[in-house]
Amino acid sequence: MKTNHTPRKVSAESEIKFTGIELKAPTSYAAGMLGVKVALEHSFKEMGVARSFQALGKMNQKEGFDCPSCAWPDPENRSKLGEYCENGAKALAEEATTKRVDAAFFQKYSVEELSLWSDYEIGKSGRIEAPMFLAEGSSHYQPISWEKAFEIIAEELHQLNNPNEAIFYTSGRSSNEAAFLYGMFARAFGTNNLPDCSNMCHESSGVALGETLGIGKGSVKLEDFYEAEVVLILGQNPGTNHPRMLSALEKCKQNGGKIVSINPLEEAGLVRFKNPQSVGGVLTSGTAISDVHIPIKINEDVALLKLIMKKLAVLAEKDASVFDHSFIEKFTVGYTSFLSHLASFSEEELLVRCGVSEDVINQTVALLAKNKKIIVCWAMGLTQHKNGVENIKECVNLLLLKGSLGKPGAGTCPVRGHSNVQGDRSVGIMHFVNKDLNERIAEVFKFTPPSEEGYDTVRAMEAMHEGNAKVFVGLGGNFVSAASDTYYTAEAFQNCNLTVQISTKLNRSHLITGKKALILPTLGRSEHDKKDGELRFLTVENSMGKVHRTRGVLEPASDWLKSEPEIIGGIANAYFKGKHSVDWLGLSSNYSEIRKKMSEVLPSFKKVEENSKEGGFYLPNNVRELDFSHLPEGKAQFSNCELPEHELAEDEFLLMTIRSHDQFNTTVYGLNDRYRGVYNERRVVFMHPSDMKKIGVERLEKVNLISNYDGKRREALQFLVVPHKIPKGNLAAYFPETNVLVPYNHYADKSYTPISKSIKVTVEKSVV
């Protein structure tokens, strides 16, 4: 019996199970006491009252555990009322739920039956209690011992023709210690096939920042927001995706700073913030966040930035202080070429492409002209396009013109999504080859790492689909739902001999499997991790490059759970059978020893054991020091960026995938998106009323979304049309439901990041 089912392809004639949509007016503010109420209701329902307060009181505290949600940094002085947001509380509740997925659950439900559930229903099943094995031809997962599970993985790895037939994927939830050990095992096995979730989100940022500034990370610290004179926020929705950022923006406003939001949708969190921890946030209307909102068309950020810089250049002809010429001369290269390239664009053409009022652009120009403490923030709205790398380079151009780097209150701020996704890369999770790193690995671990570049996420999908990769191991994450081109990805998974998921909760990647599949349940971030009765700690890195400790406080969901380092050590020991230069079992059971090896292999992690105490320590950042010595000519690089070309047909729209407010990545907490006024439904598409009239569709009418790349038709069927304030010609809909429309082989130049924020689609009325 074949059990590794591709996600059900809904036919145009079949009926989707809608969940009872209700539309209300979008909210005009984020957080407030309603946010507190929703967070506590969700927590109490999943964890119970006592367990909720026990965990929430320790989340993001110095002697507690790091939030399993986003990577926004913690302030030095933590709130005694609670250093978390609504969505952080939801993330904790999902992890610390009292619901359990046990042997009886898998005996009751076949893999086929579970695969027909929605991502929401799957995720709500609960925590996985023990290792589970899906044998080839079997219809149900069965319990398996840890030892046998490790033996199965080792056997499959030994049967590969070469190490590059194995793929070791990493999500952002793992600790630095687990990711470091995982990367070492993959290299000891003989491959650099280490794709990670960064490939799907901020890889464009890493490439752009690396080429222009010499480091693939942002340069600001949290305190810089308090001093910033202007903060530009592009392609980002903090109110839902990084809610604690609103507190930093509130402080910026209180100190006289100005905020410009640049996004196709006007999001509630960037309109007004009602801080539930302040009297004003409870009793008044809160703080107005954005001084200027620019409702730009999807992926016209380069056009907007060019127009802003052209207008600044005109002002600079009369007032030399508009540009920081001293900074430009001392620290940059390519300025003259950049100005010449900028001059080749027409202001009129750029304005038309932006699709916004010139007045809001002029307001922004006026703010930028007279200030130099400028922070530019961005997220997936800039990175997930074919020109994602150039989007970021254009942001860097603006900062270089203003000299807004290496000073308090200024710099780059790519806002990372998952809580340790940046830490994964810092400790060696990368598919490309770093010669210096390889030399240190060889010296410390006494084996020779591979020198051949491995697969990133896109190329891993291709390799599995073509039969060139046969074993997939996932350290966290939900690859099938997270990756682009869902059906293609599912087919790729099903071509594998074995798929292994190291997880806390059930997700779709446990149900769309290789010929054989293993689920290896691990401890959650919030849970005790003990060895011989002693509590152990791990480390993580936040979005601004600070490494600190995390230690759980709750009893584990099951006695059969293992920590991620222990699972990795078990796999490695089973594969090498104790015949290797590394004592994998000993290392995986002693986190201090892992950190010692990290200190020896990673120069930036010197004395990580000691330095991670209290608030932690910042990793080196050359931009903060204005040290560009390792770049061409020893200087930061201006870039000549081109405008994107989408070449839309008359009946085509540009669609961007988005999150709802009840969601984090592929984890769906609930069915409401109250900030946008949508309740109890996810299969919706947001459309401008004039576009609805143009194509003849009504409010809540069912439509099909169709993309057609390279002659292949991809369909997301039966979505309800929701009129919304969105630029004409643009659409928005939730992922992972619309990932089926994203072609796997269309991605950002250089970074290979999928084009999830600018998909060409047509809209057809549903026949149902």
Side-chain angles (χ1 to χ4, degrees):
M1 180 184 298
K2 185 178 174 67
T3 62
N4 50 352
H5 302 281
T6 299
R8 181 168 60 106
K9 291 188 177 182
V10 182
S11 70
E13 292 75 28
S14 63
E15 182 69 36
I16 284 286
K17 184 177 70 174
F18 292 105
T19 44
I21 190 169
E22 181 181 359
L23 296 183
K24 298 181 181 179
T27 60
S28 59
Y29 68 90
M33 292 310 296
L34 178 58
V36 174
K37 178 177 179 291
V38 172
L40 291 179
E41 286 177 346
H42 196 95
S43 299
F44 295 164
K45 179 181 179 181
E46 294 290 337
M47 297 187 286
V49 176
R51 186 175 170 87
S52 294
F53 283 121
Q54 179 189 6
L56 288 169
K58 285 293 186 180
M59 187 159 69
N60 294 326
Q61 300 296 338
K62 290 182 179 179
E63 296 302 319
F65 61 93
D66 199 53
C67 177
S69 186
C70 81
W72 190 254
D74 307 314
E76 184 60 30
N77 298 314
R78 316 290 164 89
S79 169
K80 294 180 180 179
L81 294 176
E83 193 57 58
Y84 56 86
C85 64
E86 175 188 337
N87 275 14
K90 291 176 180 176
L92 171 62
E94 290 292 302
E95 175 181 283
T97 180
T98 56
K99 299 174 185 175
R100 298 290 180 261
V101 173
D102 54 14
F105 175 92
F106 284 115
Q107 185 176 17
K108 180 178 181 180
Y109 299 110
S110 70
V111 174
E112 180 177 9
E113 184 175 358
L114 291 171
S115 72
L116 300 180
W117 291 11
S118 69
D119 287 85
Y120 172 64
E121 292 169 317
I122 294 169
K124 286 297 179 184
S125 301
R127 287 290 298 278
I128 304 163
E129 282 197 341
M132 292 289 165
F133 178 54
L134 183 67
E136 185 169 2
S138 177
S139 60
H140 291 69
Y141 274 101
Q142 298 288 337
I144 189 172
S145 70
W146 280 105
E147 292 73 17
K148 184 60 178 176
F150 294 151
E151 288 175 9
I152 289 172
I153 299 170
E155 181 181 350
E156 289 293 336
L157 292 176
H158 277 294
Q159 289 180 4
L160 298 178
N161 295 318
N162 66 77
N164 287 326
E165 290 184 340
I167 292 168
F168 298 92
Y169 174 76
T170 315
S171 85
R173 74 164 301 280
S174 59
S175 64
N176 289 327
E177 290 80 358
F180 177 77
L181 197 63
Y182 193 59
M184 291 308 106
F185 170 61
R187 293 179 175 92
F189 175 69
T191 185
N192 283 311
N193 288 348
L194 285 161
D196 72 327
C197 54
S198 285
N199 299 151
M200 293 186 275
C201 56
H202 267 295
E203 197 69 47
S204 296
S205 300
V207 171
L209 294 173
E211 291 184 355
T212 57
L213 300 177
I215 185 172
K217 302 180 181 183
S219 65
V220 301
K221 298 179 180 180
L222 180 58
E223 294 75 18
D224 287 318
F225 279 85
Y226 310 156
E227 295 189 46
E229 295 167 332
V230 181
V231 178
L232 299 183
I233 301 175
L234 298 93
Q236 184 196 357
N237 176 16
T240 287
N241 300 335
H242 318 91
R244 287 191 301 142
M245 181 178 176
L246 297 180
S247 297
L249 296 178
E250 181 182 48
K251 288 185 179 180
C252 176
K253 293 299 297 288
Q254 290 170 348
N255 293 336
K258 303 295 184 182
I259 295 169
V260 179
S261 64
I262 301 169
N263 197 55
L265 301 177
E266 185 178 54
E267 304 288 12
L270 290 174
V271 175
R272 186 170 292 276
F273 172 49
K274 298 182 72 171
N275 190 337
Q277 297 199 1
S278 70
V279 174
V282 175
L283 300 180
T284 73
S285 60
T287 301
I289 298 296
S290 294
D291 296 277
V292 181
H293 172 62
I294 304 180
I296 191 172
K297 289 183 177 179
I298 290 175
N299 198 26
E300 292 298 350
D301 303 273
V302 169
L304 174 64
L305 290 167
K306 284 189 184 299
L307 182 53
I308 288 172
M309 290 186 288
K310 282 182 71 71
K311 289 176 174 288
L312 287 172
V314 171
L315 295 177
E317 292 177 357
K318 300 177 181 179
D319 180 359
S321 68
V322 171
F323 290 165
D324 191 333
H325 292 282
S326 176
F327 179 94
I328 292 169
E329 182 177 355
K330 184 176 181 180
F331 294 110
T332 76
V333 64
Y335 173 65
T336 302
S337 173
F338 167 77
L339 284 185
S340 177
H341 184 260
L342 186 64
S344 67
F345 294 90
S346 157
E347 286 195 20
E348 291 74 17
E349 176 194 356
L350 295 173
L351 182 61
V352 169
R353 291 191 61 136
C354 294
V356 299
S357 162
E358 190 169 14
D359 179 60
V360 294
I361 296 176
N362 288 337
Q363 292 177 47
T364 304
V365 170
L367 290 175
L368 294 172
K370 62 183 180 181
N371 294 300
K372 287 189 169 63
K373 289 185 176 182
I374 300 166
I375 294 176
V376 179
C377 305
W378 66 88
M380 305 302 94
L382 257 61
T383 63
Q384 292 180 330
H385 305 279
K386 180 172 175 54
N387 67 321
V389 172
E390 293 213 326
N391 279 338
I392 312 310
K393 287 186 173 182
E394 205 72 272
C395 294
V396 173
N397 284 337
L398 175 60
L399 293 172
L400 293 178
L401 288 175
K402 298 296 300 180
S404 299
L405 294 166
K407 63 177 65 172
T412 55
C413 185
V415 184
R416 305 286 177 171
H418 219 153
S419 60
N420 197 43
V421 62
Q422 189 161 289
D424 287 350
R425 185 60 57 86
S426 295
V427 301
I429 297 298
M430 60 187 75
H431 62 279
F432 46 86
V433 178
N434 182 313
K435 183 179 178 181
D436 292 339
L437 176 62
N438 275 7
E439 289 176 355
R440 291 190 295 271
I441 291 171
E443 179 181 353
V444 173
F445 285 108
K446 309 305 179 187
F447 70 82
T448 302
S451 57
E452 177 185 354
E453 183 172 304
Y455 298 137
D456 63 3
T457 294
V458 168
R459 284 170 281 201
M461 292 161 57
E462 293 175 334
M464 289 187 288
H465 200 274
E466 295 167 6
N468 295 325
K470 300 174 182 177
V471 173
F472 176 96
V473 183
L475 181 61
N478 180 5
F479 192 92
V480 169
S481 288
S484 59
D485 217 335
T486 309
Y487 297 130
Y488 180 91
T489 301
E491 291 167 358
F493 251 47
Q494 293 173 153
N495 283 340
C496 291
N497 293 332
L498 174 68
T499 49
V500 181
Q501 308 293 336
I502 301 171
S503 309
T504 55
K505 295 188 64 185
L506 197 67
N507 65 51
R508 191 163 299 282
S509 296
H510 302 130
L511 310 174
I512 311 300
T513 72
K515 297 178 179 66
K516 292 182 279 189
L518 281 163
I519 304 174
L520 306 182
T522 187
L523 292 169
R525 187 78 60 79
S526 60
E527 292 172 319
H528 287 160
D529 185 350
K530 292 183 178 180
K531 176 70 173 178
D532 299 327
E534 295 293 324
L535 282 175
R536 300 183 286 189
F537 72 87
L538 294 160
T539 65
V540 292
E541 179 186 346
N542 67 32
S543 189
M544 295 178 185
K546 196 172 192 179
V547 176
H548 59 93
R549 298 184 178 190
T550 178
R551 180 158 40 198
V553 299
L554 299 176
E555 287 297 321
S558 162
D559 292 336
W560 293 290
L561 304 183
K562 286 184 179 288
S563 72
E564 288 178 329
E566 289 172 334
I567 293 172
I568 296 161
I571 295 171
N573 184 69
Y575 177 78
F576 288 111
K577 302 183 186 300
K579 298 176 181 179
H580 193 259
S581 59
V582 179
D583 176 9
W584 296 99
L585 281 184
L587 193 59
S588 65
S589 65
N590 188 336
Y591 301 167
S592 291
E593 188 62 25
I594 298 176
R595 287 187 285 271
K596 179 182 176 183
K597 297 298 184 184
M598 290 166 61
S599 293
E600 295 172 2
V601 173
L602 307 168
S604 59
F605 278 78
K606 291 293 183 185
K607 298 183 179 180
V608 60
E609 181 85 14
E610 300 86 353
N611 293 340
S612 61
K613 294 178 181 178
E614 296 297 325
F617 67 100
Y618 281 102
L619 297 177
N621 190 300
N622 66 283
V623 180
R624 292 173 187 157
E625 306 301 322
L626 292 178
D627 176 12
F628 306 112
S629 57
H630 55 299
L631 289 171
E633 299 186 42
K635 295 185 175 183
Q637 311 285 302
F638 274 98
S639 307
N640 295 338
C641 304
E642 300 298 335
L643 297 172
E645 293 297 338
H646 295 291
E647 299 178 351
L648 294 173
E650 180 64 26
D651 62 343
E652 285 184 319
F653 295 85
L654 211 55
L655 168 75
M656 63 177 181
T657 64
I658 58 175
R659 293 180 188 172
S660 78
H661 190 61
D662 252 357
Q663 171 184 1
F664 180 74
N665 293 341
T666 59
T667 302
V668 180
Y669 304 136
L671 299 177
N672 297 335
D673 191 359
R674 74 171 187 275
Y675 287 175
R676 300 188 182 107
V678 179
Y679 292 81
N680 204 41
E681 185 56 72
R682 290 184 53 82
R683 296 189 73 84
V684 300
V685 56
F686 297 99
M687 182 181 292
H688 193 281
S690 67
D691 286 331
M692 293 171 57
K693 183 177 181 180
K694 177 181 177 181
I695 65 173
V697 296
E698 302 293 331
R699 178 179 180 270
L700 297 183
E701 185 169 349
K702 297 175 188 174
V703 298
N704 303 326
L705 306 175
I706 314 297
S707 71
N708 195 321
Y709 287 84
D710 307 317
K712 181 175 180 179
R713 179 184 172 97
R714 295 173 173 85
E715 303 173 326
L717 302 179
Q718 298 187 37
F719 279 66
L720 302 175
V721 177
V722 173
H724 201 74
K725 192 176 180 181
I726 185 172
K728 297 176 184 177
N730 290 173
L731 306 174
Y734 305 131
F735 74 85
E737 289 85 348
T738 47
N739 283 357
V740 295
L741 299 170
V742 187
Y744 77 93
N745 56 347
H746 285 255
Y747 36 71
D749 296 332
K750 295 187 177 181
S751 73
Y752 283 75
T753 299
I755 59 166
S756 303
K757 292 293 185 287
S758 54
I759 315 157
K760 293 189 293 185
V761 300
T762 55
V763 179
E764 301 176 355
K765 291 189 177 184
S766 173
V767 298
V768 176

